[in-house]
């Protein structure tokens, strides 16, 4: 079922989660172990992230080194199929521009369609570590907008090189990402919102936000979106902070602020166990306030910590 239909049919805030494929070679049971404890809260959908290739240097016997391309977390499509099969829940694969030609994107979307997947989250992806900025494939999509457009064309039965008529149409509900505290590359919030609106105008039906810890930023973001005519559901993305280190790393990686009252509580903690408790309390407070404002869904970035997501979910759902 489409994410937007889940939202339309609901009479209260929904619960959903995002998971990461396991590291290459690890068992899928680590994924199931993470999802099992959360099934009692009936997630409406489970997002599965996509991880592009990275470059590693391998030492040869003669002392020279070889540059190799490897994907550390493959398996997005297989995990989606396994989740749908095991839990009868909608899986939402993330699809990215990075590393994909348009032809490869088309083939990936055909696979997803054949698997009975109804939703995709269309993203640009980040640059790989060896590149200073994002570089699309020469014949690939440069922005998430282009990926949305390609998916919309397939929903209309228009494939890249086929000139036959009456081609089978896909029927994906397309979600896109947004940033209540601005995307790191964007010169301004206005410019970021302008491009977000282009994604929605091109056919994106819902938005999932980057994590944030300050609800007032999310509420302002939604207000600004509505003011410029972005009217699709906006789903807040939530991360539960569990270690002191995350308080310094997350702002750098995701371009976000930790609100001072939260940071003051974190600084007082002597152990990460204490930070975890503070993080859970903060997330419960955030979630309750968001539900009060009738957000369509709370989307948790579980990142392998389903125990804390369970603690929060049991307080708010
Ligand atoms: P875009 O919408 O393409 O925007 C990228 C930047 O370009 C923005 O600064 C925007 O303002 C600007 N821009 C957009 N269009 C134009 C234009 N026409 N001209 C000039 N500038 C423009 N990454 C992964 O690799 N795998 C994942 O599974 C994944 N999941 C994610 C899930 C969520 C909910 C979020 C919020 C992010 C996720 N990411 C993932 C990270 C994401 O790929 C990065 O944040 C990436 O840098 C931007 O992706 P985007 O889809 O927002 O890009």
């Amino acid at each position: 079922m489409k994410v937007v239909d889940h939202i339309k049919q609901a009479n209260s805030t929904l619960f959903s989660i995002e998971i990461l494929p396991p590291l290459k070679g690890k068992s899928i049971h680590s994924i199931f172990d993470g999802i099992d404890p959360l099934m009692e809260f009936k997630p409406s959908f489970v997002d599965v992230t996509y991880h592009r290739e990275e470059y590693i240097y391998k030492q040869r016997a003669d002392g020279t080194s070889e540059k190799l391309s490897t994907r550390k977390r493959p398996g997005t499509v297989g995990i989606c199929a396994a989740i749908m099969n095991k839990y009868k829940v909608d899986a939402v694969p993330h699809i990215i521009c990075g590393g994909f030609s348009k032809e490869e994107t088309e083939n990936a979307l055909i696979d997803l369609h054949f698997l009975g997947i109804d939703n995709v989250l269309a993203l640009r992806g980040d640059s790989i570590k060896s590149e200073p900025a994002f570089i699309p494939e020469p014949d690939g999509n440069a922005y998430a907008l282009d990926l949305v457009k390609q998916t919309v064309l397939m929903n209309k039965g228009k494939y890249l090189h086929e000139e036959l008529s009456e081609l089978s149409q896909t029927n994906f509900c397309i979600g896109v990402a947004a940033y209540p505290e601005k995307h790191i590359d964007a010169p301004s919030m206005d410019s970021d919102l302008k491009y977000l609106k282009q994604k929605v105008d091109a056919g994106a039906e819902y938005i999932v936000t980057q994590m944030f810890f300050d609800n007032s930023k999310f509420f302002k973001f939604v207000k600004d979106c509505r003011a410029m005519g972005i009217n699709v559901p906006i789903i807040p993305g939530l991360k539960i902070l569990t270690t002191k280190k995350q308080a310094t790393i997350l702002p750098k990686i995701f371009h976000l602020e930790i609100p001072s009252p939260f940071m003051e509580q974190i600084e007082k903690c002597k152990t990460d166990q204490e930070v975890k408790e503070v993080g859970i309390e903060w997330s419960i407070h955030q979630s309750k306030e968001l539900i009060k404002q009738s957000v369509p869904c709370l989307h948790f970035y579980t990142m392998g910590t389903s125990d804390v997501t369970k603690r929060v979910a049991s307080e708010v759902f």
Side-chain angles (χ1 to χ4, degrees), residues 154-171:
M154 285 181 67
N155 280 350
K156 292 181 178 158
K158 292 185 184 151
Y159 291 70
L160 285 176
H161 307 300
E162 304 305 323
E163 274 148 31
L164 300 166
S165 56
E166 293 179 34
L167 289 171
S168 157
Q169 290 169 267
T170 57
N171 188 21

Side-chain angles (χ1 to χ4, degrees), residues 228-247:
M228 66 186 298
I230 298 172
N231 292 316
V232 297
I234 302 179
I235 299 175
L238 295 175
K239 155 97 182 102
I240 305 161
L241 197 138
T242 52
T243 66
K244 219 171 219 180
K245 204 171 160 197
Q246 287 175 355

Side-chain angles (χ1 to χ4, degrees), residues 8-29:
K8 268 183 218 149
Q9 287 180 14
N11 44 26
S12 57
T13 298
L14 300 172
F15 169 66
S16 65
I17 56 172
E18 179 190 284
I19 58 158
L20 273 65
L23 288 166
K24 191 188 279 186
K26 297 274 179 198
S27 154
I28 194 162
H29 291 291

Side-chain angles (χ1 to χ4, degrees), residues 268-286:
K268 279 186 204 149
C269 295
K270 293 192 182 67
T271 62
D272 276 344
Q273 188 52 41
E274 286 177 25
V275 176
K276 202 186 216 183
E277 292 305 316
V278 166
I280 289 169
E281 278 313 308
W282 188 267
S283 188
I284 292 171
H285 157 78
Q286 256 195 294

Side-chain angles (χ1 to χ4, degrees), residues 243-256:
T243 66
K244 219 171 219 180
K245 204 171 160 197
Q246 287 175 355
T248 44
I249 286 178
L250 296 177
K252 275 189 210 141
I253 304 178
F254 298 112
H255 194 257
L256 53 84

Side-chain angles (χ1 to χ4, degrees), residues 62-78:
D62 64 5
T64 58
S65 58
E66 189 183 0
K67 189 179 176 188
L68 295 172
S69 164
T70 181
R71 282 183 58 212
K72 288 191 177 164
R73 292 181 186 272
T76 302
V77 177

Side-chain angles (χ1 to χ4, degrees), residues 2-68:
K2 294 185 174 192
V3 167
V4 286
D5 291 333
H6 279 288
I7 293 171
K8 268 183 218 149
Q9 287 180 14
N11 44 26
S12 57
T13 298
L14 300 172
F15 169 66
S16 65
I17 56 172
E18 179 190 284
I19 58 158
L20 273 65
L23 288 166
K24 191 188 279 186
K26 297 274 179 198
S27 154
I28 194 162
H29 291 291
S30 62
I31 294 292
F32 297 152
D33 290 347
I35 297 177
D36 285 345
L38 300 175
M39 284 315 289
E40 66 176 281
F41 306 106
K42 299 190 172 47
S44 299
F45 52 95
V46 176
D47 274 48
V48 184
T49 55
Y50 188 92
H51 300 260
R52 65 175 297 188
E53 77 285 4
E54 289 173 40
Y55 289 103
I56 54 162
Y57 290 88
K58 204 171 176 187
Q59 195 88 10
R60 292 198 193 98
D62 64 5
T64 58
S65 58
E66 189 183 0
K67 189 179 176 188
L68 295 172

Side-chain angles (χ1 to χ4, degrees), residues 49-50 94 123-126 143-144 179 183 186 192 195 199 301:
T49 55
Y50 188 92
H94 291 188
L123 302 142
R124 187 193 70 178
D126 284 320
Y143 292 104
Y179 307 82
H183 182 257
D192 214 16
Y195 292 125
K199 293 194 279 193
Y301 297 112

